[in-house]
Amino acid sequence: MQTLAEGLRLPTNGLDYAILAIYFVVVLGIGFMARASVRTSLDFFLSGRSLPAWVTGLAFVAANLGATEILGMAATGAQYGVAVVHWYWIGAIPAMVFLGLVMMPFYYRSKVRSVPEFLLQRFDRSAHLLSSVLFAFAAILIAGVNLYALSIVVEALLGWPQWVAIVVAGLFVLVYITIGGLSSAIYNEVLQFFVILAALIPITVLGLKRVGGWDAMSESLSKQHGGDFMTAWGGTGIGDANPLGANWLTIILGLGFVLSFGYWTTNFAEVQRALSAKNLSAAKRTPLIAAFPKIFIVFAVMIPGLVAAVIVPQIGTPDSDLTYNDAIPLLMQELLPNGVLGIAVTGLLAAFMAGMAANVSSFNTVFTTDIWQRYVVKDKPDTYYLKFGRLITAIGVLASIGTAFIAASFSNIMSYLQTLFSFFNVPMFVVFIIGMFWKRASMKSGVWGLVAGTAAAMVNYFWIYKGGVIDIPSDQGANFVSAIVGFVAGAVVMVVVTLFTAPKPEAELAGLVYGTESPSSDEALEEADRAWYRKPALLGWGAIVLAALCYVPYSF
């Protein structure tokens, strides 16, 4: 099992614990306040589709601010350098804009309660059931990553045994989601967004000061790792060596298109936040609003990773007891005074709880509405499914505790998460994108595309990469290749199956395929949504241009 180094124990005192206790009280208070709004299963699973865009937008980005963002991206910065910006400016922003401008109208107008339910309408029951099972399984695995990361951090930093950290964190997530449903999770995610920033900004600023500023840090790391370590695209020519172990083609296609679009457009833990918006305009703006903080969050996780690589040049090597995941805790120990330390610890806990809550809340929705209600216990009163949703939430938290230890074999949890995304999200994305833009795609092509894409990605990773059939320099490079292989295999199989099976009647595709009219496409805009600064196209293209401009200083 990977754990944080013993020497990272923090000198916390009563002030730090008081800040932590206040946070937990507020979290539970929000859960109890949200309970009053939960009267139906739609309230529990989708907040009654009643939330404003700024709330769902902040929740959208906070749901992604879990173990991936905090420990995982800082670890990626320490291991691969400035190349970590690719996960944001090409690996997130274009896909978030595509979700808002292109895909949310399909999701929201179809009135689906989950991403798999959209596949039921577009394809058939087999595609729906398989996607539901795959998603539920992946959600529990990813929730386990956040819980595992939280437990090792709390054990090393505060001295709590791992099992205590797991039980305490799991219990709090269970209580506030079970009580208040998705509304509780979302409003807590808005709070967690600001708490996380309050934790990361001091670490970033003090870390840069510790190493003498950006220029001094760049000079030191360039001497250690070569000049390409501090550039985004340096050494990414095909056949060239670079810290990331990937070339420009696999970065653009594997990360920028397949993995990114697969995650942001089909991951229900994110899409669920947009589906809870009060109208179509708010739903479209949810990922677009989230895109702007997403552009800049990279600095608050990349810079601590780079600083840690300067302070401990051997980090992540066999010569050190520090793994790449130790970057953030190392700086917390080295830089933060009491009080600020309490805020940082609270921010870490908030990040892991946000990531876990996002996946648990999406898991309970998919399992209840797409599996249990659809195939196991049908036609019960709505109160039955509301109670079952609360029960399956508890089961999901317990299952997450079990899957937490699967992440233990990865010294960089970002690699583990990207592996999961290539297995589960990429195949679902190829089925969505072909089904959404090709009327002829047959009903049976959906399930076979999912099977082929998932199998091909797994074969590439476990047999071709791990088996040494082809030499790929790094786990991340292998994930990019697995994503491309899974996408191509799923697409080819969908085309072949379509040629030999019947298409869905065109009358049943209204609002599900690009170019067809939805029965509810005439939704009128609210007067406030007509303001120029709320126009989705302006927000979307503004985010794309801003992300492209951010690349300029790191490309030469």
Side-chain angles (χ1 to χ4, degrees):
M1 177 186 296
Q2 295 286 344
T3 60
L4 294 183
E6 286 295 325
L8 290 181
R9 189 65 50 82
L10 295 179
T12 48
N13 62 15
L15 175 60
D16 301 315
Y17 278 103
I19 293 171
L20 189 59
I22 292 170
Y23 170 74
F24 280 128
V25 170
V26 172
V27 165
L28 291 182
I30 291 173
F32 280 104
M33 286 189 293
R35 181 181 178 87
S37 64
V38 179
R39 297 182 179 85
T40 68
S41 62
L42 185 65
D43 295 333
F44 186 77
F45 295 123
L46 286 178
S47 301
R49 288 195 172 99
S50 63
L51 302 179
W54 73 269
V55 170
T56 55
L58 290 181
F60 188 98
V61 71
N64 185 247
L65 276 171
T68 307
E69 207 81 356
I70 310 304
L71 289 191
M73 284 303 184
T76 302
Q79 185 172 4
Y80 300 120
V82 171
V84 71
V85 300
H86 294 310
W87 272 268
Y88 292 77
W89 300 337
I90 196 173
I93 302 305
M96 294 168 75
V97 171
F98 183 82
L99 172 64
L101 297 183
V102 178
M103 295 190 71
M104 279 316 303
F106 291 97
Y107 282 138
Y108 201 85
R109 286 170 177 161
S110 63
K111 303 298 182 185
V112 296
R113 293 169 294 179
S114 71
V115 168
E117 192 173 354
F118 184 86
L119 291 184
L120 174 65
Q121 295 188 15
R122 174 58 185 88
F123 293 101
D124 61 7
R125 288 165 61 92
S126 56
H128 172 250
L129 179 59
L130 178 59
S131 64
S132 300
V133 171
L134 288 176
F135 178 82
F137 182 61
I140 291 301
L141 287 174
I142 297 170
V145 174
N146 287 280
L147 194 55
Y148 167 73
L150 181 147
S151 69
I152 62 174
V153 167
V154 169
E155 180 186 34
L157 301 188
L158 303 181
W160 300 3
Q162 270 197 9
W163 71 268
V164 173
I166 287 175
V167 170
V168 170
L171 179 63
F172 271 86
V173 172
L174 173 62
V175 169
Y176 76 72
I177 293 180
T178 303
I179 292 174
L182 184 63
S183 293
S184 176
I186 285 178
Y187 280 113
N188 268 303
E189 283 160 3
V190 173
L191 168 67
Q192 287 157 348
F193 173 78
F194 293 105
V195 173
I196 292 165
L197 289 185
L200 290 177
I201 290 173
I203 296 173
T204 303
V205 173
L206 294 175
L208 271 178
K209 184 177 179 181
R210 171 71 176 270
V211 296
W214 179 267
D215 291 339
M217 180 179 69
S218 297
E219 183 179 353
S220 175
L221 291 175
S222 295
K223 287 179 180 178
Q224 292 176 35
H225 302 282
D228 292 339
F229 196 78
M230 295 303 293
T231 67
W233 296 104
T236 60
I238 296 176
D240 294 345
N242 63 78
L244 189 57
N247 57 56
W248 65 268
L249 184 62
T250 56
I251 291 172
I252 292 174
L253 292 182
L255 174 62
F257 177 59
V258 182
L259 273 172
S260 171
F261 279 66
Y263 174 80
W264 290 103
T265 66
T266 66
N267 182 18
F268 187 48
E270 301 293 339
V271 175
Q272 187 180 30
R273 273 76 195 142
L275 286 178
S276 66
K278 63 180 181 179
N279 55 35
L280 176 58
S281 175
K284 292 166 68 174
R285 283 184 281 123
T286 293
L288 305 179
I289 291 171
F292 288 91
K294 183 71 177 176
I295 290 172
F296 298 105
I297 285 171
V298 62
F299 297 109
V301 290
M302 175 183 71
I303 291 174
L306 297 175
V307 170
V310 173
I311 295 176
V312 184
Q314 294 80 26
I315 189 171
T317 68
D319 299 328
S320 173
D321 65 341
L322 295 171
T323 70
Y324 294 114
N325 291 331
D326 295 330
I328 291 285
L330 171 68
L331 298 191
M332 290 170 61
Q333 181 198 55
E334 291 280 328
L335 303 173
L336 301 184
N338 291 109
V340 179
L341 190 59
I343 294 173
V345 171
T346 302
L348 275 183
L349 297 185
F352 300 139
M353 289 169 64
M356 182 183 178
N359 283 281
V360 169
S361 62
S362 59
F363 164 79
N364 66 22
T365 302
V366 168
F367 195 94
T368 303
T369 62
D370 291 285
I371 297 176
W372 195 259
Q373 183 177 2
R374 181 76 59 176
Y375 299 105
V376 183
V377 179
K378 307 176 183 178
D379 303 323
K380 289 285 188 179
D382 186 71
T383 52
Y384 170 86
Y385 298 110
L386 176 59
K387 291 178 181 177
F388 183 82
R390 289 190 163 118
L391 172 64
I392 202 64
T393 301
I395 295 173
V397 170
L398 293 175
S400 299
I401 293 173
T403 61
F405 298 99
I406 297 177
S409 60
F410 288 77
S411 64
N412 182 339
I413 52 178
M414 183 62 190
S415 296
Y416 173 58
L417 286 165
Q418 292 289 314
T419 302
L420 295 180
F421 296 154
S422 69
F423 292 170
F424 300 112
N425 292 89
V426 167
M428 198 172 297
F429 171 62
V430 70
V431 173
F432 264 84
I433 205 70
I434 290 179
M436 197 171 283
F437 287 94
W438 189 28
K439 288 183 183 180
R440 177 67 178 82
S442 69
M443 290 187 290
K444 292 300 178 187
S445 68
V447 66
W448 288 110
L450 284 172
V451 170
T454 302
M458 288 183 173
V459 167
N460 179 80
Y461 187 84
F462 290 115
W463 182 51
I464 295 178
Y465 168 56
K466 290 293 187 182
V469 176
I470 294 178
D471 182 29
I472 303 176
S474 68
D475 286 349
Q476 290 290 16
N479 289 331
F480 297 164
V481 175
S482 294
I484 295 171
V485 169
F487 183 89
V488 171
V492 169
V493 168
M494 285 189 72
V495 171
V496 171
V497 171
T498 293
L499 297 177
F500 295 96
T501 54
K504 195 156 191 169
E506 192 164 334
E508 298 179 19
L509 297 178
L512 303 175
V513 179
Y514 192 77
T516 63
E517 287 293 327
S518 169
S520 57
S521 60
D522 57 350
E523 178 181 317
L525 279 178
E526 294 184 3
E527 187 61 35
D529 292 337
R530 298 179 186 275
W532 65 270
Y533 57 86
R534 292 191 176 189
K535 292 185 181 300
L538 176 64
L539 291 171
W541 285 108
I544 292 284
V545 171
L546 184 57
L549 290 175
C550 285
Y551 259 119
V552 174
Y554 304 99
S555 298
F556 304 100

